[in-house]
Amino acid sequence: MINLIERLDMPSLAFIRSQEFADLKIPTVVMHDNGFLPDNVNSPAKFYCGFTDEIKPLYFDRLPLPKYWRFKASSLQADVYDLDHKRATIFYDKTDNSRLVKEVQWLNKNGQLSWIDHYNKSGWKFAKTFFNNGRAVVRKLFDKNGKCVIEHNLIADDFYLDYQGTKKHFASLAEFTIHYLKDRGYSLDHIFYNTLNESMNVTLNLNEKGTDTMFWHEPVSGALPGNMEYLMNTKSRTKHIVFQRYDEWMKAQSMIPEDTGNVDFQYLGMVYPHSRSNQLRPNALIFTNSDQIEALDKIVTAMPNIRFNIAAVTEMSDKLMAFDQYDNVKLYPVVKKDKAAELLKECDLYFDINYNNEILSAVRSAFEQNMLIIGFRDTLHEPQFVADKYIFDASEIDKIKRLIDHVLESKINMKEALDYQRRMASDTTISEFKEKIEALENE
């Protein structure tokens, strides 16, 4: 049995972590390696290119540059200049706030994208994508010695592998992945996969006996996806389709026919750790990457009984520092990780009302700390953790105030609010998760 993940997005990572919380030992393979996979997650690139889990990250200001070239950095990215001529843009790994290099997009003299250097968490330039007239045409992946081991023709979408003196061609990513899975000797009797694209293609073309389960974490709109209907109407290894989002599972009830053909439909949420209970303290928290915080002045003045703690990993602008005049506002510029963790433990309300990028995985962290999360429709960073009842228009400050007064009034009120928040976020218990996975595994 294995988990086969096409790309390691946040829902996929939550699924893997849920298995870890339930003490389920299922190997995980990611088809597209971005260089920052967790140590216990495997990929064809890791295996054939010889990636190690040694952590020697490359910070943006350590990127080798020609003499006299310079960096111009912000919290979002860094630019490389030759005098006043921009030569490259450096993009950071978004899972870390210490400006680790993930990719460098190099420009030609006309300012057009020429190639991208891809770096992994060990600071190793493991891949390079070449462009022609603005179009990505080839991606090459290298071993530590700089030898091209995997070449992906992005136009034809085929692959070449040059490994241990043997050269092979694969017509598709699915074909290449199947070769890797067999090369590694994985048990392929049951595959958990979570896209109706490349990972599904692997299971359809595996030509091995087994039973597979498709885990669905994306939205549905109007009708079930065509490939889901294909699985219903075609005999294949896939026997189960498991929805992982509670709201989408409820929405899908009217779309799933009585006769589901070759598959059955089920629901199973995710396991999230909750390290503490909510203590009903009138302490609110906002993590921000800018001074663009929607209706902050109105919220602060409307709720003088709430202490608003506002933290940023960078210096704060004069606009934001001006809020220091309010008795119920405490500002934390250039906040350190230890202090950020302390604030998460000391606050029982979180406001997801800032624009620009999220920092410190703030919304998920607040959810795991059992904080009640309030957000505006236009500022949500991780909507799956903000229940629909607690999402407001920026003009509805009075409604927010009434909600907060209500939940802080009693433990019962807060518990009802948090129970709803967790249910809508597809939160489930370890025992429920483990029981469902083991039942699928044993079929």
Side-chain angles (χ1 to χ4, degrees):
M1 166 174 281
I2 63 165
N3 300 309
L4 183 62
I5 308 298
E6 192 167 323
R7 298 179 188 272
L8 193 62
D9 53 14
M10 289 307 299
S12 302
L13 189 57
F15 181 50
I16 295 167
R17 287 176 174 168
S18 296
Q19 295 175 16
E20 293 173 354
F21 292 135
D23 198 29
L24 296 168
K25 311 296 185 183
I26 304 175
T28 297
V29 170
V30 172
M31 298 171 71
H32 291 276
D33 191 331
N34 66 358
F36 284 80
L37 299 181
D39 294 351
N40 61 341
V41 172
N42 301 310
S43 73
K46 261 191 182 184
F47 178 67
Y48 292 120
C49 295
F51 292 5
T52 68
D53 293 324
E54 180 183 12
I55 306 299
K56 287 186 178 179
L58 178 67
Y59 294 90
F60 82 94
D61 56 355
R62 296 181 186 173
L63 181 75
L65 294 181
K67 196 172 183 179
Y68 303 122
W69 288 25
R70 61 187 173 89
F71 298 102
K72 184 178 180 181
S74 70
S75 60
L76 300 178
Q77 64 186 49
D79 295 323
V80 176
Y81 282 87
D82 173 11
L83 298 177
D84 293 328
H85 184 55
K86 183 176 175 181
R87 300 305 301 267
T89 301
I90 302 171
F91 293 93
Y92 311 138
D93 171 40
K94 292 182 180 179
T95 61
D96 195 290
N97 290 287
S98 53
R99 306 189 185 186
L100 303 183
V101 177
K102 185 172 185 180
E103 65 179 44
V104 183
Q105 297 188 359
W106 293 96
L107 310 176
N108 62 24
K109 292 182 179 180
N110 297 320
Q112 296 174 320
L113 184 57
S114 186
W115 78 87
I116 299 175
D117 288 333
H118 303 269
Y119 290 81
N120 64 16
K121 63 183 180 181
S122 298
W124 170 6
K125 185 167 67 177
F126 75 96
K128 195 167 189 171
T129 302
F130 297 88
F131 286 74
N132 184 20
N133 293 324
R135 183 183 186 186
V137 292
V138 173
R139 178 169 298 145
K140 296 183 177 182
L141 282 73
F142 310 100
D143 63 16
K144 276 191 171 181
N145 298 319
K147 174 192 171 185
C148 178
V149 177
I150 301 170
E151 181 173 322
H152 180 192
N153 185 318
L154 298 168
I155 306 300
D157 204 19
D158 59 356
F159 291 78
Y160 293 87
L161 175 65
D162 185 352
Y163 181 66
Q164 293 184 343
T166 301
K167 297 181 180 181
K168 294 184 179 181
H169 172 256
F170 304 95
S172 66
L173 177 59
E175 187 177 313
F176 177 44
T177 303
I178 290 170
H179 173 81
Y180 161 75
L181 295 175
K182 293 182 177 180
D183 222 5
R184 288 296 307 271
Y186 285 112
S187 174
L188 302 177
D189 60 320
H190 199 142
I191 296 178
F192 290 164
Y193 66 99
N194 68 349
T195 70
L196 291 169
N197 190 22
E198 296 291 357
S199 59
M200 184 186 79
N201 286 339
V202 170
T203 70
L204 291 176
N205 292 282
L206 194 55
N207 293 325
E208 298 236 353
K209 291 183 179 180
T211 300
D212 298 334
T213 301
M214 197 275 152
F215 287 85
W216 181 251
H217 62 257
E218 299 178 43
V220 292
S221 56
L224 296 177
N227 280 355
M228 199 174 283
E229 293 187 348
Y230 175 83
L231 293 174
M232 293 166 56
N233 299 324
T234 305
K235 288 187 176 181
S236 71
R237 286 174 47 118
T238 301
K239 303 302 179 186
H240 315 284
I241 297 176
V242 180
F243 276 66
Q244 295 183 281
R245 288 178 51 172
Y246 180 79
D247 56 342
E248 297 301 325
W249 172 241
M250 291 293 99
K251 190 190 302 182
Q253 297 306 298
S254 61
M255 307 176 196
I256 299 173
E258 289 187 14
D259 182 5
T260 59
N262 188 57
V263 301
D264 61 36
F265 284 81
Q266 305 178 33
Y267 166 74
L268 177 63
M270 306 284 197
V271 177
Y272 294 98
H274 297 281
S275 57
R276 67 171 178 90
S277 60
N278 191 295
Q279 299 176 42
L280 282 72
R281 293 166 295 190
N283 293 341
L285 180 60
I286 301 171
F287 282 137
T288 183
N289 204 32
S290 75
D291 59 10
Q292 303 300 307
I293 304 177
E294 182 68 64
L296 181 59
D297 54 343
K298 296 178 181 179
I299 290 172
V300 166
T301 54
M303 291 172 256
N305 60 315
I306 304 298
R307 177 187 173 95
F308 289 89
N309 300 274
I310 305 173
V313 295
T314 60
E315 295 286 352
M316 291 181 172
S317 69
D318 292 341
K319 175 183 175 181
L320 194 50
M321 289 300 295
F323 279 87
D324 197 39
Q325 67 181 298
Y326 294 96
D327 292 337
N328 63 328
V329 174
K330 179 66 175 177
L331 301 175
Y332 298 91
V334 199
V335 71
K336 303 300 181 184
K337 287 186 178 180
D338 289 349
K339 185 59 182 178
E342 184 180 316
L343 288 170
L344 284 164
K345 292 178 181 178
E346 292 176 347
C347 298
D348 288 318
L349 304 167
Y350 188 84
F351 281 73
D352 185 21
I353 59 174
N354 62 293
Y355 290 97
N356 289 345
N357 292 350
E358 181 187 36
I359 61 171
L360 303 173
S361 301
V363 179
R364 187 182 74 246
S365 298
F367 177 80
E368 293 179 354
Q369 291 286 334
N370 270 322
M371 300 165 68
L372 184 68
I373 304 170
I374 297 103
F376 288 134
R377 299 187 198 284
D378 296 332
T379 63
L380 300 179
H381 293 92
E382 295 189 75
Q384 68 271 29
F385 296 120
V386 190
D388 53 349
K389 288 183 181 179
Y390 313 138
I391 300 173
F392 300 89
D393 292 329
S395 61
E396 297 178 311
I397 308 300
D398 288 343
K399 289 184 179 180
I400 296 175
K401 184 179 184 303
R402 287 197 295 271
L403 168 65
I404 291 177
D405 288 343
H406 175 73
V407 297
L408 294 182
E409 189 176 58
S410 71
K411 290 183 178 180
I412 292 176
N413 292 351
M414 181 63 84
K415 182 179 184 303
E416 288 177 350
L418 291 175
D419 285 348
Y420 183 78
Q421 177 175 277
R422 289 170 67 166
R423 182 166 67 254
M424 297 309 295
S426 312
D427 197 346
T428 192
T429 65
I430 288 176
S431 59
E432 289 172 344
F433 186 89
K434 188 171 185 177
E435 182 180 347
K436 176 63 69 69
I437 292 294
E438 289 180 340
L440 292 169
E441 184 180 3
N442 293 327
E443 284 191 13

